[in-house]
Amino acid sequence: MNKSNHFHDITEEAILLSKEKHNKNRIIIGYGTCGIAAGAEEVLKEVQQVLHELKIDDVIIEKTGCIGCCSYEPLMDIELANSPRVSYKNVKPKEVKEIIDKHFEGELKKEKVFCMFDEQENIIQNQESWKYNIPEIYSGLPTFKSLPMLKKQKRITLRNVGIIDPENINDYLARGGYQALYKALTALSPKEVIDEIKSSGLRGRGGAGFPTGVKWEFAYNAELSKTTEDSIEKTEKYVVCNADEGDPGAFMDRSLIEGDPHSVIEGLTIAAYAIGATKGFIYIRAEYPLAIKRLEIALKQAYENHFLGDNIFGTDFHFSIEIRKGAGAFVCGEETALINSIMGLRGEPRPRPPYPAVSGLWGKPTIINNVKTLVTVPVILLNGAKWFSSIGTEDTKGTAVFALTGDVKNSGLVEVPMGTTLREIIFDIGGGVKGDKQFKAVQTGGPSGGCIPFSLIDTPVDFASLKKLGSIMGSGGMIVCSESTCMVDLARYFMTFIASESCGKCTPCREGTVRALEMLEKITSGDATIDILTDLEQLSLVIKDTALCGLGQTAPNPILSTLKYFREEYIEHIEQKVCRAKVCPGLFNYVINDDLCIKCGVCQNVCPVDAVFGSKETGFFIENRLCISCNACFERCPKRAIEKVN
């Protein structure tokens, strides 16, 4: 069998099957983790039940990944034959029947319409985009690209997520899937692949931002190992996909794998070809069961279609991939700790050099790339380095993918050209702060990142600009903070996370983060004196300069950045015993406003420590000496009669 012709045949078949799908009626459910959490499973069951009751049997029901608009989940899309795909937002099971009834009868439940896909653009050049004739009934509907959350985005890494069925390899092939791998193996040498990635300017999307092509070149040039006196053969090499996404508030890698697993496999296989590896690992945390399931399905399909295994595309290139599940240790996101974990050792870092590209898994040259980095590789090979490097800034090429969360109206996945400002991401794409509160800061880079104040909101997003401000790009977490956020408490939260996740190998991280946390707890409880700020700052700088690995070295960033930009809040906590956001226990009291209180007794019922006294006849009051500031009464009061006062 000519495996080259075989690839062309199955690709053509996949394109035909994809076209046939658009000639049929389809209902597509957003079935990523965020959609499932919002109720997508119940919506799916209701769709199946409604179609059964209505005796509609000519409808294809599909699942897709999270398209990135998490605030609007569950999303249910309906695509009638040869008509645009219409997406309905925040769908409840009880609304499914009415939506389907109307849509199939030529009406729309317009108040539930999220957008219309007037075409499905393919970011890969020379691949067909689906275009439709727009029925008159659809006129005036917002299109996917025109949505405020989407019109400033450029979806390269997220090109397939939320569009394709991640469990159907034909959907991936129809949108140019495995074309880049075919091109690499049949038309390019490993060195030419590396040169193309180097020319593109792609930098690692896992946090450090090291040039991807340079990293690959290190492993490509790894020394030959002498096996006998008379023969020399290439040393064994490995490639690893780092999907150990441990930052609080980050879900980019998870969503990519859930929505487009084949692109991860293709990118990893190209990396293996480039450096001369025959074995690869996808290291993913066990807390991502849906992502793991879809990876397993995609790997099975890739082997069945000979995109993995022996003699791929009829060449002499052999490559296999194995999934390794991590136990959820944050430190295993660090390269050398991850390597130890794959080898069955304790997940803790080691000094570098030697770097993994020279001595990694089992002492062999090993390349480790983040999910987003690998997913971007196939598009670069197909569209060219010049195309990719034309996007972004001089220092940072391409796009950045963020998980936009916190006090923002439109939470979800965001992909923008590098150089897009924080203001554009938060206010134009994110829709601004929830409840129209005042914006206070944005925290980028997860626990290793820093907090950026409103005065610097016009900062462009790229590696160099964020580093200058004392933050980092990181793996892509972006948490928006409103006036309701206490910056001292935020630093305490991240230091609590870091201290508990420290592997304990080096003293600065093991002991220093705990001491820093103790200082922050003194400040937030009102038990500190002003000289503690000098000690806290000095300790943070020592940890930064002396910790063993990158995670320990960046651990103090939340403290240092909040001390730099929000020092007045620290001083208020210490000298005035005031938390302006009213979140630090002991620095405010709960008081019941008698004018608003309806004497319902809810506050007394929900208090876990019996700190609410009184009765429905006489009214209620809170004994703050007993109160543990759990916020239960504040959140449950139906009339907002409970107030926080300093």
Side-chain angles (χ1 to χ4, degrees), residues 190 220 234-238 271-278 317:
Y220 173 81
K234 290 182 180 178
T235 185
E236 190 174 7
K237 300 176 183 179
Y238 298 97
Y273 172 70
I275 74 164
T278 58
F317 177 61

Side-chain angles (χ1 to χ4, degrees), residues 462-536:
D462 59 57
F463 288 103
S465 298
L466 293 180
K467 187 176 181 180
K468 283 180 185 176
L469 302 184
S471 190
I472 59 172
M473 181 88 69
S475 60
M478 185 175 286
I479 302 173
V480 176
C481 305
S482 74
E483 59 190 301
S484 300
T485 304
C486 170
M487 305 311 293
V488 186
D489 182 65
L490 186 68
R492 182 201 58 78
Y493 165 78
F494 280 115
M495 194 50 59
T496 300
F497 178 84
I498 288 289
S500 66
E501 290 290 338
S502 173
C503 74
K505 184 171 184 178
C506 74
T507 303
C509 186
R510 182 185 68 244
E511 301 297 331
T513 56
V514 174
R515 300 289 86 79
L517 175 59
E518 289 172 352
M519 292 182 192
L520 289 168
E521 288 175 339
K522 278 188 175 182
I523 296 170
T524 56
S525 62
D527 295 329
T529 55
I530 197 66
D531 57 353
I532 200 172
L533 295 184
T534 302
D535 295 340
L536 179 60

Side-chain angles (χ1 to χ4, degrees), residues 213-267:
V214 174
K215 181 187 277 191
W216 289 10
E217 193 170 47
F218 287 155
Y220 173 81
N221 290 329
E223 292 183 1
L224 302 177
S225 60
K226 189 174 290 187
T227 54
T228 69
E229 291 184 0
D230 302 318
S231 67
I232 295 177
E233 63 180 36
K234 290 182 180 178
T235 185
E236 190 174 7
K237 300 176 183 179
Y238 298 97
V239 289
V240 178
C241 170
N242 182 354
D244 188 65
E245 186 175 49
D247 292 8
F251 49 89
M252 305 77 61
D253 295 349
R254 186 201 73 207
S255 297
L256 266 168
I257 295 173
E258 289 177 357
D260 192 15
H262 281 285
S263 64
V264 182
I265 295 169
E266 184 175 10

Side-chain angles (χ1 to χ4, degrees), residues 23 122 130 201 278 327 340 345 473 492 537 544 550 568 620 639 643 645:
N23 293 327
N122 200 319
W130 305 114
T278 58
N340 278 340
L345 304 175
M473 181 88 69
R492 182 201 58 78
E537 195 162 22
K544 191 177 184 71
E568 71 279 5
F620 299 91
K639 295 297 181 180
E643 300 171 352
V645 297

Side-chain angles (χ1 to χ4, degrees), residues 271-559:
Y273 172 70
I275 74 164
T278 58
K279 178 73 175 180
F281 296 91
I282 298 176
Y283 187 87
I284 182 169
R285 51 185 46 224
E287 292 100 321
Y288 286 177
L290 182 60
I292 292 169
K293 174 191 172 186
R294 288 183 175 161
L295 263 180
E296 290 172 341
I297 292 170
L299 284 171
K300 183 173 183 291
Q301 293 171 343
Y303 278 110
E304 289 172 349
N305 287 276
H306 308 292
F307 303 146
L308 290 174
D310 296 331
N311 304 112
I312 301 172
F313 299 134
T315 68
D316 60 0
F317 177 61
H318 315 288
F319 184 60
S320 61
I321 295 176
E322 182 180 332
I323 296 173
R324 287 290 174 92
K325 301 174 188 177
F330 179 65
V331 73
C332 285
E334 195 275 338
E335 286 189 342
T336 58
L338 184 152
I339 286 170
N340 278 340
S341 182
I342 289 178
M343 295 191 299
L345 304 175
R346 180 173 177 171
E348 57 184 18
R350 62 164 171 77
R352 296 180 297 177
Y355 291 92
V358 176
S359 178
L361 282 168
W362 296 286
K364 306 296 184 181
T366 303
I367 287 301
I368 302 173
N369 286 128
N370 174 264
V371 171
K372 297 182 290 298
T373 309
L374 293 170
V375 169
T376 307
V377 165
V379 196
I380 293 174
L381 285 194
L382 288 181
N383 290 355
K386 188 176 180 181
W387 164 81
F388 186 79
S389 63
S390 69
I391 304 164
T393 67
E394 186 65 30
D395 173 70
T396 313
K397 306 298 184 182
T399 58
V401 180
F402 291 102
L404 187 62
T405 60
D407 294 327
V408 66
K409 291 178 182 177
N410 300 327
S411 62
L413 289 177
V414 171
E415 183 173 8
V416 293
M418 293 287 190
T420 303
T421 66
L422 291 168
R423 183 189 296 274
E424 290 176 288
I425 295 172
I426 295 164
F427 286 93
D428 295 344
I429 295 173
V433 181
K434 280 180 185 176
D436 296 320
K437 294 181 179 179
Q438 291 293 315
F439 171 85
K440 180 182 274 191
V442 59
Q443 203 272 352
T444 69
S448 301
C451 298
I452 301 169
F454 180 75
S455 60
L456 298 171
I457 199 170
D458 291 309
T459 299
V461 171
D462 59 57
F463 288 103
S465 298
L466 293 180
K467 187 176 181 180
K468 283 180 185 176
L469 302 184
S471 190
I472 59 172
M473 181 88 69
S475 60
M478 185 175 286
I479 302 173
V480 176
C481 305
S482 74
E483 59 190 301
S484 300
T485 304
C486 170
M487 305 311 293
V488 186
D489 182 65
L490 186 68
R492 182 201 58 78
Y493 165 78
F494 280 115
M495 194 50 59
T496 300
F497 178 84
I498 288 289
S500 66
E501 290 290 338
S502 173
C503 74
K505 184 171 184 178
C506 74
T507 303
C509 186
R510 182 185 68 244
E511 301 297 331
T513 56
V514 174
R515 300 289 86 79
L517 175 59
E518 289 172 352
M519 292 182 192
L520 289 168
E521 288 175 339
K522 278 188 175 182
I523 296 170
T524 56
S525 62
D527 295 329
T529 55
I530 197 66
D531 57 353
I532 200 172
L533 295 184
T534 302
D535 295 340
L536 179 60
E537 195 162 22
Q538 289 180 347
L539 175 60
S540 297
L541 291 172
V542 169
I543 297 170
K544 191 177 184 71
D545 291 340
T546 59
L548 173 62
C549 76
L551 296 182
Q553 292 158 12
T554 55
N557 280 351
I559 295 175

